[in-house]
Amino acid sequence: MSIVPSGFGPDSTTDEVLAGIDLRGRTALVTGATGGLGLETARALATHGAEVILAGRDATKLAAAVTALRAQTGSEHLHTTTLDLVDLASVRACAADVTARFPTIHLLINNAGVMACPLARSKEGCELQFASNHIGHFLLTCLLSYPPASRLIAGAPARVVILSSGGHKYSAIDFDDPHFTRRPYDKWQAYGQSKTANALFAVALNRRLASRGVTANAVHPGVIVTELGRHLTPEDIQQMSSKGTTMDGRRFHFKSIPAGAATTLWAATSPLLEGRGGQYLEDCNIAEVGVPGSAAGYLPYAIDVDAAERLWALSEQIVGQTFAL
């Protein structure tokens, strides 16, 4: 298929992207929904009529988010579920909770994430960024997609939106040592690897579920100041401000939170993406292949089918479960 420009761009906002779209009768689950991009995504979805499930680690923050969103949107169709993506038992409990309460899921927004944190590991021995950004979302998505729940297939046509990042350019997946047990830990390589995993997961998931009416795409939201950067040191911020993520000396194009969440909402609702998945999206459009050091586009390893299949097998091994229709 050819790439059709959407008419939107890097500074388009969530409300602009959703103008004229009616989401009544659609149920959406948003992870990391208590602040930043996740909260804005939930607000925009609720404003346009969707029933929204906010997922997050802290029940108190979830309750506060729902109170704020009800005041902003007037929606009574807001729900919460607790989710710690690093704890696979919590992921399974969240999936069971959602399955018990909602017969269908039409939109799954895998928004939550961590960035450039100190070395830590999950109970399974996974490096923390890989565990939180990819493995937790992999398990949650599969539990909601495959039998016995199959809530996304029940909601078809349904869409999965997986937040990746231009930071995927920091690293492909090192399948020989994905958890830094033998090589020195580098927080940016670890972050880049996890964001590459997000993009590859969209490729592999779409290959499996598109024929059942569930499409998956990866999103680069842009550079936004949110709690995602809570682990950054003053030195990190100074370096980023002077050099940018482009690695070519150009400064960041910083986005507002509504602009940062816009590509997520475009991925979730645009008619241009009907039946179309396995793509890497940025600035409310389908991205094209970039070059190393460039700000725009993606590197080919982020959508490589063989790597996507290898990642799927590794992910199943880590969670201790295989998924098949």
Side-chain angles (χ1 to χ4, degrees):
M1 299 182 192
S2 61
I3 297 176
V4 179
S6 68
F8 300 112
D11 295 314
S12 298
T13 65
T14 48
D15 288 329
E16 291 170 346
V17 165
L18 290 180
I21 293 178
D22 185 354
L23 296 176
R24 286 176 294 181
R26 309 286 284 175
T27 300
L29 171 61
V30 183
T31 71
T34 59
L37 298 181
L39 184 62
E40 170 62 14
T41 297
R43 181 206 66 79
L45 291 168
T47 297
H48 287 263
E51 187 162 16
V52 183
I53 310 161
L54 286 74
R57 289 179 298 173
D58 189 317
T60 301
K61 288 184 178 181
L62 285 168
V66 166
T67 297
L69 291 180
R70 283 179 177 154
Q72 293 173 9
T73 68
S75 175
E76 293 299 323
H77 303 291
L78 296 163
H79 315 273
T80 65
T81 185
T82 54
L83 170 67
D84 183 348
L85 288 162
V86 178
D87 183 346
L88 296 187
S90 173
V91 175
R92 294 183 187 279
C94 174
D97 176 47
V98 170
T99 297
R101 291 193 286 154
F102 302 94
T104 56
I105 300 294
H106 303 95
L107 302 172
L108 173 59
I109 314 295
N110 289 340
N111 167 82
V114 294
M115 180 176 74
C117 58
L119 177 62
R121 302 189 189 282
S122 69
K123 294 176 182 177
E124 294 72 31
C126 298
E127 185 275 320
L128 186 67
Q129 295 183 78
F130 192 81
S132 178
N133 296 350
H134 170 61
I135 292 297
H137 280 128
F138 171 85
L139 180 59
L140 178 67
T141 303
C142 289
L143 290 172
L144 294 176
S145 300
Y146 286 86
S150 301
R151 290 301 187 258
L152 281 159
I153 292 176
R159 299 187 188 187
V160 180
V161 181
I162 304 169
L163 266 71
S164 180
S165 167
H168 78 270
K169 296 169 185 174
Y170 287 124
S171 180
I173 296 176
D174 185 338
F175 285 103
D176 293 327
D177 188 19
H179 307 302
F180 293 85
T181 57
R182 296 187 297 275
R183 55 182 168 144
Y185 178 69
D186 182 289
K187 62 186 179 182
W188 289 112
Q189 285 185 353
Y191 176 67
Q193 178 177 249
S194 74
K195 294 291 102 179
T196 295
N198 292 147
L200 290 173
F201 180 35
V203 173
L205 186 69
N206 193 74
R207 282 168 57 84
R208 286 161 170 77
L209 298 184
S211 64
R212 303 296 295 271
V214 181
T215 54
N217 286 297
V219 163
H220 169 41
V223 183
I224 309 101
V225 178
T226 70
E227 289 185 359
L228 180 66
R230 59 187 175 276
H231 294 293
L232 297 182
T233 65
E235 291 77 14
D236 290 331
I237 295 172
Q238 182 178 6
Q239 181 181 14
M240 291 168 65
S241 297
S242 64
K243 292 186 178 180
T245 54
T246 64
M247 297 174 279
D248 63 1
R250 290 187 292 164
R251 290 185 177 275
F252 287 118
H253 175 77
F254 283 96
K255 293 186 179 184
S256 67
I257 287 177
T263 304
T264 295
L265 273 300
W266 184 75
T269 64
S270 174
L272 293 176
L273 294 173
E274 184 175 350
R276 189 167 189 173
Q279 307 289 327
Y280 180 92
L281 314 177
E282 65 182 0
D283 295 338
C284 302
N285 281 279
I286 297 175
E288 298 182 338
V289 178
V291 296
S294 170
Y298 58 88
L299 296 186
Y301 60 67
I303 62 165
D304 180 80
V305 172
D306 290 340
E309 293 303 315
R310 193 174 180 184
L311 175 65
W312 185 279
L314 173 63
S315 302
E316 287 186 327
Q317 179 184 352
I318 291 170
V319 303
Q321 187 171 350
T322 58
F323 297 96
L325 296 173

